[in-house]
Amino acid sequence: MSRARVIVLNSALGPLDYRVPRGMEVAPGSIVIAPLGPRQLIGVVWEAERLPTEEIGDNRLRNLLAVADAPPIPAPLRRLIEWTANYYLAPLASVLRMALSSTSALEGGKTIVEYRATGEVPPRMTAQREQALERIGDRQGLIRELATIADVSDGVIRGLVKSGAIEGVTVALDTPYPLPDPAFGAPALSAEQAEVATTLRTAVDARAFQPFLLDGVTGSGKTEVYFEAVAEAIRAGRQSLVLLPEIALTEPFLKRFHARFGVEPIAWHSGLRQSQRRRAWRAIANGEALVTVGARSSLFLPYPNLGLIVVDEAHETSFKQEEGVHYHARDVAVMRGHFEGCPVILASATPAIETRQQVALGRYTELKLPGRYGVAEMPAIEAIDLLADPPMRGRWLAPKLVRAIDATLERKEQALLFLNRRGYAPLTLCRTCGHRFQCPNCTAWMVEHRLINRLACHHCGHAIPTPRACPECDSEDSLVACGPGVERIADEVAALFPDAKTAIVTSDTIWSPAKAAEFVARMEAGDIDIVVGTQLVTKGYHFPNLTLVGVVDADLGLEGGDLRAAERSFQQICQVAGRAGRGEKPGTVLIQTHSPKAPVMRALVNGDAEGFYAAETQARREAGAPPFGRFAAIIVSSEDKDSALDTARAIGRSAPKVEAMQVFGPAPAPLAMLRGRHRFRLLVHARRALDVQDVIRDWLGGLEWSAKVRVVVDVDPYNFL
């Protein structure tokens, strides 16, 4: 090969041709270093026939500089990258970047110096040093990584190194991982589990693409069943990937995996140190890592011998990426299985309507686990009508729920209160002048967090100390917290049950796998009586002594006009209800609602999932909504409002007249300003059969707009803000 077509990691550029110097060998998939002006960029050699571009003469080509010391990107992954870029209308380089997410893995170094706390107290202790040592704990990493963890400057960490409070340690980068043993902790499966496991093992042995929906109620043992498919892939020497929707679920999963296979799998998530990411990436690319568990980004890692993909909690909306490439990991996982020729298991107790429709069409095979494993029974579910049984003035827990908590504590059992709202209160206002605290960068209220004494925006992260006086009228002690968040519920619990040990579980308190492990250990040891948490506690956890679940505001998820609001609320409450009664003790779920006769509430209380999904599916069919129709959002944003509006109007005026497609807008987005950028939205609604990507590509490709305006297309949107 004398010339090579290369995709460099620059989203503004298309494919570029380079000369291959004498003595250098490259092939499609080779990772190379390519010159671009005075810079050197990482790129990947691609099949020239798949990426047509303007041909230029050999005399104008620049030489490739080097080939990276790393395995090439496999052909099935290259096909997935092409498909993802085409389907989600994203630059090829942006998708490729996810496959090359550890640039240090392309370098040849074998050791690195990381830093950890020694336990010594420095002679001069400042507030920042104290904060750094507290947050670092027993964690280890580069100076930059520790500074990020501790939320201090690099200089603070370097000062602690000089004082002896932190020391450097040499870390070997490419130590092999221990191999999992498929026979280590083989479980005793029920007859139903064994039948499903046999089907999945057979599919792994067949080495062919086959998507499965593993539909089992909470506590039915779905994980143990798909572990048998993982074991079969291990026996065959093939790689498995298990996708989890939340980083906080990683630690409990690692424990279960260790109990089954004798070692932990390779973890891949945003909480890894640079050295850990490098080691994991190289082990995966070399085929040495047989099982990887990770967040959605692990889907694009370069597995050379992938034999199984599992998407756990496949209904979770967090599998939809909302920044950069707007892909849905569940759907991309199915496509990766297609290109790799391996089975894909979508495991869920509450499958999405889109997945159910694929089963109805015969494209996915449904495997059911209708009952809980062993002696555990499904919990009894009851609605509390907040109009008939309201909480006391100034409180948020209805008397019936309070009595149930009291009885649970009397039995030395644990309770969980669920409210999907972080912080203390979602709105703070002045009772004197009515001033409301709004984020200066977003069209959103500032949320009070009393644990850290801050008002914070949950969209851009802007935070200020909670003021004592109103900035509008200067009145002191006039600020009022409106509405409850989990911190406020925890305060109410502390007042009602002063002797109970309470834990708040949100992304503010469980920000790493280590924190999740600490929470699990405390629950299992009985060191927590009442958990107050957000959706972070609705899935993946198994606490046999947790027998009561209280849903504080079941109506919250039905607000906002989202087409999936009812389905999402049903899924979320089903999942949190599934935390109750997972052992020998029976469970109870109490749902506080102002609308006990709403279809979603009746379905939850009556356990009528099929009836609920049938009604929701019919409503979607009549509206032409997904999965029976298609949506694509076009979001126009700029720091200059007029520029954004002018561009959005120009896009709207030039909308093509296509049969079976409608364009709505432009209109200000519900979140009209986000991170300092004014936002306008257009919504494309089309029939399922229309190739809406080609229409949008041609439509927007013929337009030009100012460099200060950003236009983003979200195919199959889940967020309508």
Side-chain angles (χ1 to χ4, degrees):
M1 181 182 281
S2 60
R3 61 189 291 158
R5 189 148 295 170
V6 177
I7 299 296
V8 295
L9 296 187
N10 184 323
S11 300
L13 299 175
L16 301 174
D17 284 355
Y18 287 90
R19 182 186 297 112
V20 180
R22 188 183 302 275
M24 179 185 291
E25 292 186 10
V26 299
S30 294
I31 304 170
V32 296
I33 310 299
L36 185 71
R39 295 176 295 159
Q40 297 181 5
L41 298 182
I42 295 170
V44 173
V45 176
W46 223 264
E47 295 92 335
E49 66 275 10
R50 300 187 69 87
L51 297 177
T53 188
E54 181 184 353
E55 294 279 353
I56 62 173
D58 289 352
N59 61 325
R60 295 174 57 194
L61 297 180
R62 298 183 68 179
N63 282 351
L64 290 173
L65 301 176
V67 180
D69 180 20
I73 300 299
L77 178 52
R78 298 200 301 277
R79 301 295 80 81
L80 181 78
I81 290 168
E82 292 170 354
W83 180 88
T84 304
N86 179 67
Y87 187 87
Y88 293 103
L89 297 173
L92 201 62
S94 297
V95 185
L96 177 61
R97 186 179 296 277
M98 294 189 287
L100 300 176
S101 49
S102 175
T103 53
S104 65
L106 309 180
E107 301 167 0
K110 299 298 182 185
T111 62
I112 193 172
V113 176
E114 294 186 336
Y115 295 84
R116 65 187 180 194
T118 61
E120 295 183 16
V121 178
R124 188 174 66 87
M125 180 65 84
T126 65
Q128 282 200 314
R129 286 185 168 190
E130 185 176 354
Q131 174 179 311
L133 291 174
E134 179 185 348
R135 293 196 178 185
I136 290 169
D138 58 359
R139 299 166 87 171
Q140 181 173 307
L142 303 175
I143 284 179
R144 174 70 269 169
E145 292 169 341
L146 295 185
T148 301
I149 291 167
D151 195 21
V152 297
S153 68
D154 291 10
V156 172
I157 304 299
R158 294 186 191 280
L160 288 169
V161 172
K162 288 181 180 177
S163 72
I166 289 178
E167 64 180 357
V169 290
T170 301
V171 177
L173 291 177
D174 293 329
T175 307
Y177 289 96
L179 295 177
D181 178 2
F184 180 80
L189 300 179
S190 68
E192 287 177 334
Q193 288 177 319
E195 183 179 349
V196 173
T198 298
T199 301
L200 296 177
R201 283 195 297 264
T202 302
V204 171
D205 286 339
R207 301 194 174 205
F209 170 60
Q210 188 175 2
F212 292 94
L213 168 59
L214 180 55
D215 183 357
V217 298
T218 53
S220 60
K222 294 184 294 294
T223 305
E224 285 70 23
V225 168
Y226 73 64
F227 272 176
E228 295 309 293
V230 172
E232 195 67 18
I234 294 170
R235 292 186 192 100
R238 305 191 75 198
Q239 295 174 292
S240 298
L241 166 64
V242 181
L243 292 177
L244 299 178
E246 299 278 359
I247 184 176
L249 293 180
T250 306
E251 196 67 25
F253 182 91
L254 296 183
K255 288 181 65 177
R256 294 178 74 175
F257 189 93
H258 190 283
R260 172 62 180 86
F261 296 103
V263 299
E264 291 190 352
I266 284 73
W268 185 271
H269 51 73
S270 59
L272 296 180
R273 309 193 304 269
Q274 179 179 312
S275 61
Q276 290 174 316
R277 293 176 74 82
R278 180 194 191 280
R279 182 187 177 201
W281 193 97
R282 290 186 71 88
I284 289 167
N286 288 324
E288 299 166 4
L290 289 184
V291 185
T292 303
V293 56
R296 56 182 177 246
S297 60
S298 58
L299 187 56
F300 290 92
L301 293 174
Y303 310 93
N305 189 21
L306 198 55
L308 174 68
I309 301 172
V310 179
V311 184
D312 205 349
E313 309 288 357
H315 62 278
E316 270 294 319
T317 55
S318 55
F319 278 125
K320 172 71 174 182
Q321 171 76 21
E322 299 291 355
E323 300 287 341
V325 182
H326 289 240
Y327 69 95
H328 198 301
R330 178 197 64 213
D331 300 337
V332 177
V334 172
M335 290 307 300
R336 178 135 202 197
H338 169 72
F339 290 122
E340 298 281 355
C342 72
V344 180
I345 302 170
L346 307 180
S348 175
T350 53
I353 289 176
E354 288 84 350
T355 304
R356 288 172 171 264
Q357 179 63 11
Q358 294 297 318
V359 171
L361 294 173
R363 294 172 181 164
Y364 294 1
T365 301
E366 184 176 31
L367 303 172
K368 276 188 168 290
L369 294 172
R372 282 190 159 177
Y373 180 75
V375 298
E377 297 288 339
M378 294 300 292
I381 301 178
E382 184 180 343
I384 297 176
D385 185 348
L386 290 176
L387 298 178
D389 186 20
M392 294 175 59
R393 184 175 178 83
R395 290 188 173 173
W396 308 97
L397 303 180
K400 184 169 186 173
L401 179 54
V402 173
R403 291 194 298 271
I405 297 170
D406 194 32
T408 301
L409 297 178
E410 282 286 326
R411 297 191 302 268
K412 306 296 183 185
E413 295 168 2
Q414 295 165 312
L416 163 62
L417 297 178
F418 167 69
L419 176 64
N420 203 27
R421 185 183 274 156
R422 291 160 48 211
Y424 183 85
L427 171 65
T428 300
L429 58 78
C430 174
R431 67 161 63 93
T432 302
C433 70
H435 173 74
R436 301 182 177 199
F437 286 84
Q438 181 172 323
C439 174
N441 308 315
C442 306
T443 314
W445 306 122
M446 299 284 279
V447 178
E448 182 180 1
H449 287 253
R450 289 200 176 173
L451 291 179
I452 57 174
N453 192 32
R454 292 284 188 275
L455 296 180
C457 173
H458 287 178
H459 297 283
C460 71
H462 177 76
I464 59 172
T466 304
R468 289 186 53 82
C470 172
E472 195 73 24
C473 67
D474 293 328
S475 297
E476 291 199 12
D477 300 322
S478 66
L479 301 183
V480 181
C482 301
V486 287
E487 293 178 14
R488 193 168 200 170
I489 300 302
D491 277 4
E492 183 174 339
V493 167
L496 291 168
F497 309 102
D499 296 329
K501 291 170 284 188
T502 304
I504 298 174
V505 179
T506 74
S507 57
D508 298 320
T509 59
I510 307 291
W511 65 79
S512 70
K515 282 290 182 183
E518 180 184 321
F519 163 64
V520 170
R522 289 186 62 200
M523 283 292 288
E524 291 176 344
D527 191 38
I528 298 173
D529 299 313
I530 303 173
V531 179
V532 183
T534 61
Q535 54 86 26
L536 207 61
V537 294
T538 63
K539 49 196 172 285
Y541 293 110
H542 175 80
F543 303 123
N545 201 40
L546 197 160
T547 58
L548 174 67
V549 168
V551 180
V552 176
D553 186 353
D555 307 321
L556 184 61
L558 297 174
E559 301 169 357
D562 183 349
L563 75 94
R564 296 181 177 87
E567 180 191 19
R568 197 173 296 174
S569 292
F570 183 83
Q571 290 169 334
Q572 207 163 62
I573 295 173
C574 273
Q575 291 287 335
V576 73
R579 299 314 106 198
R582 295 175 70 95
E584 296 182 2
K585 300 173 183 177
T588 302
V589 180
L590 298 177
I591 302 173
Q592 296 192 161
T593 174
H594 291 91
S595 307
K597 293 184 180 179
V600 63
M601 300 306 165
R602 288 205 307 266
L604 285 163
V605 171
N606 297 330
D608 186 16
E610 292 306 317
F612 170 78
Y613 276 111
E616 278 292 301
T617 301
Q618 183 58 29
R620 297 260 194 104
R621 182 181 283 108
E622 292 172 358
F628 306 101
R630 308 192 64 188
F631 284 131
I634 302 174
I635 304 102
V636 182
S637 67
S638 174
E639 293 180 0
D640 178 60
K641 184 177 182 179
D642 290 338
S643 296
L645 179 58
D646 290 344
T647 301
R649 285 174 173 169
I651 292 174
R653 285 194 301 268
S654 62
K657 306 298 182 185
V658 177
E659 187 180 355
M661 187 183 95
Q662 295 175 288
V663 179
F664 302 98
L671 203 56
M673 180 181 280
L674 180 64
R675 302 185 185 97
R677 299 182 68 86
H678 298 274
R679 304 167 74 243
F680 295 86
R681 288 178 62 101
L682 298 95
L683 185 65
V684 178
H685 182 206
R687 288 184 189 166
R688 192 77 204 166
L690 180 67
D691 190 342
V692 74
Q693 286 90 343
D694 276 354
V695 174
I696 295 175
R697 194 179 288 110
D698 293 342
W699 170 16
L700 298 183
L703 300 175
E704 294 184 359
W705 48 78
S706 166
K708 59 186 177 183
V709 175
R710 185 183 304 151
V711 178
V712 174
V713 180
D714 185 1
V715 177
D716 301 339
Y718 271 61
N719 183 342
F720 290 84
L721 295 179

